[in-house]
Amino acid sequence: MFFQKKLGQYFLHDKNIAQKIVNSISFKKTIVEIGPGMGMLTQYLLLKSKNVFLIEIDKKYVFFLKKKFSIIKNNIFNLNFLNWNPQEYFLSSFTLIGNFPYNISSQILFKIIKYREYIPECIGMFQKEVAERITSKKKKKSYGKLSVIMQTFYKIEYLFTVNNNVFLPKPRVKSAVVKMLKKKLNFKIKESIFFNIVKTAFLYRRKKLFNSLKILSFSTEFYKLPILNKRVEQLSVNDFILLTKYASKIKRD
């Protein structure tokens, strides 16, 4: 078996862990798996749904998977997930699952946010540090822009930690499985303003928000908000949503 480090290939070989991951799925109608590799998760996914799609960037594993799982060979694609668009495959709603490559985990998360209307649920294996970041709450060191962005749109649960000895090759770090369920938001926010506020605020963590957000040039009235006397780690996810609403309503000077 040949592994490509540049593709972040660390394959799970523990059947019990694989079954545990698959059993955490709530929505089973259509499932899309990223980076199936040798098909450790796939074999159990096919027991849950007959409508399983596989996205694999490595050609040699695509060939292997089509032979091993011939029943879904037309649903196996040699693609980079970061360039994949579910609209092109007529998928309207699906569970996303995978042992996600560590080197592009943040990019995968932003891709999930981009196509969240299609992804009501995601079960992902991440590097433990990343899993802790996206589930982190305010006032914790691991709390950052990924925490706020992901938790705004998804309810996120840290399911369990996975030791590195269940992978081939063996990574240097531990992993963790996270479950994300899309929230039914009863409000609308201007996303461009929301993302600007979150990213800018965490770019200047040591400054008070009044100073760090000055670069965005909102109105004088906006900068009079008492909450801006706090630092970014003191704000909850809901605080960022409220800031976005204020910034959207108050006209710029």
Side-chain angles (χ1 to χ4, degrees):
M1 193 183 296
F2 179 72
F3 307 100
Q4 293 192 63
K5 282 190 176 181
K6 67 178 181 180
L7 297 179
Q9 291 178 335
Y10 295 98
F11 293 156
L12 180 69
H13 65 80
D14 188 302
K15 291 183 177 180
N16 292 326
I17 296 292
Q19 286 178 304
K20 193 175 179 182
I21 293 170
V22 171
N23 286 339
S24 64
I25 295 174
S26 302
F27 304 104
K28 303 164 188 173
K29 188 176 179 181
T30 302
I31 301 171
V32 175
E33 183 184 0
I34 302 173
M38 301 289 287
M40 176 58 76
L41 290 179
T42 313
Q43 60 187 322
Y44 300 111
L45 292 175
L46 288 170
L47 299 176
K48 297 281 184 183
S49 172
K50 299 303 178 187
N51 204 25
V52 175
F53 293 80
L54 308 181
I55 300 174
E56 173 58 59
I57 195 172
D58 194 324
K59 283 184 180 179
K60 68 178 178 294
Y61 290 114
V62 170
F63 179 77
F64 170 84
L65 291 163
K66 287 192 174 187
K67 285 189 70 176
K68 186 174 181 179
F69 304 111
S70 58
I71 192 172
I72 58 163
K73 64 181 179 181
N74 293 328
N75 290 356
I76 301 174
F77 304 103
N78 181 205
L79 291 168
N80 182 340
F81 174 71
L82 298 180
N83 300 326
W84 182 69
N85 184 342
Q87 295 167 305
E88 296 175 7
Y89 295 85
F90 306 103
L91 294 175
S92 58
S93 181
F94 56 89
T95 290
L96 186 69
I97 191 167
N99 175 18
F100 300 147
Y102 296 156
N103 55 341
I104 58 166
S105 54
S106 293
Q107 291 167 273
I108 287 173
L109 288 167
F110 283 115
K111 182 85 170 182
I112 291 168
I113 292 298
K114 180 178 179 180
Y115 289 112
R116 65 185 180 277
E117 64 181 287
Y118 303 96
I119 310 173
E121 176 182 51
C122 175
I123 315 286
M125 175 102 73
F126 294 93
Q127 183 177 334
K128 187 172 183 285
E129 180 186 340
V130 174
E132 289 171 343
R133 281 168 59 198
I134 61 178
T135 54
S136 185
K137 302 299 181 185
K138 68 176 184 176
K139 296 183 180 179
K140 288 191 174 182
K141 191 176 180 181
S142 54
Y143 186 63
K145 67 178 182 182
L146 267 180
S147 317
V148 174
I149 291 171
M150 297 308 299
Q151 289 175 43
T152 295
F153 301 104
Y154 283 89
K155 179 184 176 184
I156 307 176
E157 182 182 359
Y158 186 109
L159 295 182
F160 55 90
T161 302
V162 182
N163 287 320
N164 54 3
N165 57 6
V166 300
F167 297 96
L168 287 174
K170 188 176 177 180
R172 295 180 180 178
V173 295
K174 287 184 178 180
S175 302
V177 178
V178 169
K179 180 173 182 174
M180 298 182 271
L181 294 174
K182 189 162 74 73
K183 292 179 178 178
K184 292 182 179 178
L185 300 179
N186 56 4
F187 57 84
K188 288 185 178 181
I189 59 173
K190 289 190 177 180
E191 290 186 23
S192 59
I193 293 177
F194 170 73
F195 288 119
N196 266 339
I197 288 175
V198 174
K199 289 177 182 178
T200 306
F202 281 102
L203 192 62
Y204 304 99
R205 295 185 73 111
R206 294 187 178 183
K207 293 184 177 182
K208 288 188 177 180
L209 288 161
F210 174 83
N211 293 312
S212 63
L213 297 182
K214 268 292 183 76
I215 194 173
L216 297 179
S217 300
F218 291 128
S219 69
T220 304
E221 193 177 345
F222 174 84
Y223 292 104
K224 290 178 182 178
L225 294 172
I227 198 171
L228 296 183
N229 287 316
K230 294 183 177 182
R231 288 189 171 85
V232 65
E233 68 271 10
Q234 296 175 283
L235 267 62
S236 67
V237 171
N238 284 336
D239 288 332
F240 279 100
I241 293 169
L242 288 172
L243 272 182
T244 303
K245 287 181 176 179
Y246 281 123
S248 304
K249 287 179 182 178
I250 302 172
K251 293 182 179 179
R252 295 174 184 266
D253 291 335

